[in-house]
Amino acid sequence: MPCKTLEEMDVNSSNMIPLHQTTSRKRLDHKREAICIFGTGDFGRSLGMRLLKSGYQVVFGSRNPQNSTLLPSGAQVCTHADALKESEIIFLAVHRENYDFLSALSNLLDGKVLVDVSNNLKMNQYPESNAQYLSQLVPKAIVVKGFNTVSAWALQSGSLDANSQLKKNSTSEMEVVWSWKSDAFYASGILGFSVFCLLGITSLPSVSNVMNWREFRFVQSKLGHVTLLLCTVHTALLGWNKFLILSLYKWGLPPAYLLSMVIPCIVLALKLILITPCVDRMVTRIRQGWERKGKGSSDLNI
């Protein structure tokens, strides 16, 4: 059966939708050698479209050429045996389960390059790779592996693909301040939220009832202030130096994040005063029952 182009087939068929604009007559005159593709699935059609745009003639080999649909405009489609007569390079775009037809074409593949683009569905699915299996199935062909890491979408999108949009490949020097700020911002937020969850769990009656007073005081007091400090630092890093931008002061009021830090900062400042050695020593003595007795002073018993 001779090969037919898509223009020679039924033009009224709704399935014959070209995937790209018809190649100009001038470009057709400068076609390169023909490339054969076994398989008319998504990958085979996408690969054929890219080869046509690169100036190659494309011949599709199909078990049923009359029913092959959605092939790129300008490509030929015929049986496997007829397609092999047109090219020295064959792309095998079918799954390993459908390699059975290649045994009958072993003589026609003598000395020709057979490119395997398939991937197995699972790792270690077969004892040997697909390329090794093909070498055993058609020993007269030159089997190579390629294009198995390229998707059909990448072949179709072409210049629309993200890796083709990069106009300038350059690297910029890392901003140390910004890097430390972003890392500290996320770290303080994650740690603050984690300790906050721990405080919430220990506040449950079922948990607090099994804790002694020292454990409960440590969690609610020490870890409580640590949580407040981490969350305050997290908020401060979020705003960073925005408090210096006058345009953010709407109606003469500071930004919301700055207002939310007033009370936490006051609490932390007072806590800092209380934990200084001289004040902490006095507060500890008072908690232990120390009384100051003097003339004109009232008794203090805490």
Side-chain angles (χ1 to χ4, degrees), residues 96 99 102-103 106 114 126-143:
R96 176 168 176 161
Y99 285 176
L102 292 173
S103 299
S106 180
L114 184 61
Y126 300 102
E128 70 280 332
S129 65
N130 291 353
Q132 291 175 329
Y133 177 70
L134 282 173
S135 298
Q136 300 171 6
L137 192 64
V138 283
K140 297 181 179 181
I142 304 174
V143 179

Side-chain angles (χ1 to χ4, degrees), residues 88-103:
E88 296 294 325
I89 301 177
I90 302 93
F91 283 90
L92 186 60
V94 297
H95 292 289
R96 176 168 176 161
E97 293 77 11
N98 301 320
Y99 285 176
D100 52 349
F101 71 94
L102 292 173
S103 299

Side-chain angles (χ1 to χ4, degrees), residues 232-253:
T232 304
V233 172
H234 178 73
T235 307
L237 291 173
L238 175 65
W240 196 240
N241 60 347
K242 292 181 180 179
F243 69 94
L244 299 175
I245 304 176
L246 299 179
S247 60
L248 297 178
Y249 289 74
K250 304 296 182 181
W251 304 99
L253 296 175

Side-chain angles (χ1 to χ4, degrees), residues 159-213:
S159 59
L160 298 178
D161 196 10
N163 57 7
S164 299
Q165 296 180 10
L166 186 62
K167 295 182 179 180
K168 183 180 179 181
N169 185 13
S170 60
T171 57
S172 57
E173 184 178 356
M174 183 183 68
E175 297 182 7
V176 179
V177 176
W178 184 89
S179 299
W180 278 101
K181 172 196 168 184
S182 60
D183 293 344
F185 171 76
Y186 289 111
S188 59
I190 294 173
L191 291 175
F193 181 76
S194 301
V195 181
F196 182 79
C197 292
L198 180 60
L199 289 175
I201 294 174
T202 55
S203 299
L204 297 174
S206 59
V207 179
S208 60
N209 290 337
V210 299
M211 300 175 61
N212 56 40
W213 170 248

Side-chain angles (χ1 to χ4, degrees), residues 35-270:
I35 301 295
C36 176
I37 300 177
F38 283 173
T40 56
D42 292 339
F43 192 89
R45 295 195 302 265
S46 302
L47 179 60
M49 181 190 67
R50 300 304 302 174
L51 290 173
L52 284 169
K53 288 186 176 182
S54 300
Y56 291 93
Q57 299 180 31
V58 176
V59 182
F60 282 92
S62 175
R63 291 173 295 183
N64 195 347
Q66 295 295 336
N67 294 333
S68 299
T69 59
L70 296 175
L71 296 179
S73 177
Q76 294 178 311
V77 57
C78 52
T79 62
H80 294 124
D82 292 334
L84 284 176
K85 300 176 182 178
E86 303 290 332
S87 175
E88 296 294 325
I89 301 177
I90 302 93
F91 283 90
L92 186 60
V94 297
H95 292 289
R96 176 168 176 161
E97 293 77 11
N98 301 320
Y99 285 176
D100 52 349
F101 71 94
L102 292 173
S103 299
L105 304 174
S106 180
N107 293 330
L108 296 176
L109 288 168
D110 186 7
K112 295 189 177 183
V113 178
L114 184 61
V115 183
D116 174 38
V117 301
S118 64
N119 288 318
N120 295 324
L121 297 178
K122 297 184 298 183
M123 293 183 61
N124 302 323
Q125 185 175 1
Y126 300 102
E128 70 280 332
S129 65
N130 291 353
Q132 291 175 329
Y133 177 70
L134 282 173
S135 298
Q136 300 171 6
L137 192 64
V138 283
K140 297 181 179 181
I142 304 174
V143 179
V144 296
K145 189 76 175 181
F147 291 86
N148 60 308
T149 59
V150 182
S151 65
W153 162 250
L155 291 172
Q156 288 184 12
S157 59
S159 59
L160 298 178
D161 196 10
N163 57 7
S164 299
Q165 296 180 10
L166 186 62
K167 295 182 179 180
K168 183 180 179 181
N169 185 13
S170 60
T171 57
S172 57
E173 184 178 356
M174 183 183 68
E175 297 182 7
V176 179
V177 176
W178 184 89
S179 299
W180 278 101
K181 172 196 168 184
S182 60
D183 293 344
F185 171 76
Y186 289 111
S188 59
I190 294 173
L191 291 175
F193 181 76
S194 301
V195 181
F196 182 79
C197 292
L198 180 60
L199 289 175
I201 294 174
T202 55
S203 299
L204 297 174
S206 59
V207 179
S208 60
N209 290 337
V210 299
M211 300 175 61
N212 56 40
W213 170 248
R214 180 173 297 179
E215 293 172 344
F216 184 80
R217 180 172 173 269
F218 171 79
V219 172
Q220 296 296 324
S221 179
K222 300 294 191 299
L223 290 186
H225 286 95
V226 171
T227 304
L228 183 62
L229 176 62
L230 290 173
C231 294
T232 304
V233 172
H234 178 73
T235 307
L237 291 173
L238 175 65
W240 196 240
N241 60 347
K242 292 181 180 179
F243 69 94
L244 299 175
I245 304 176
L246 299 179
S247 60
L248 297 178
Y249 289 74
K250 304 296 182 181
W251 304 99
L253 296 175
Y257 86 93
L258 195 58
L259 292 175
S260 65
M261 293 177 58
V262 174
I263 296 179
C265 288
I266 293 175
V267 174
L268 291 173
L270 294 176

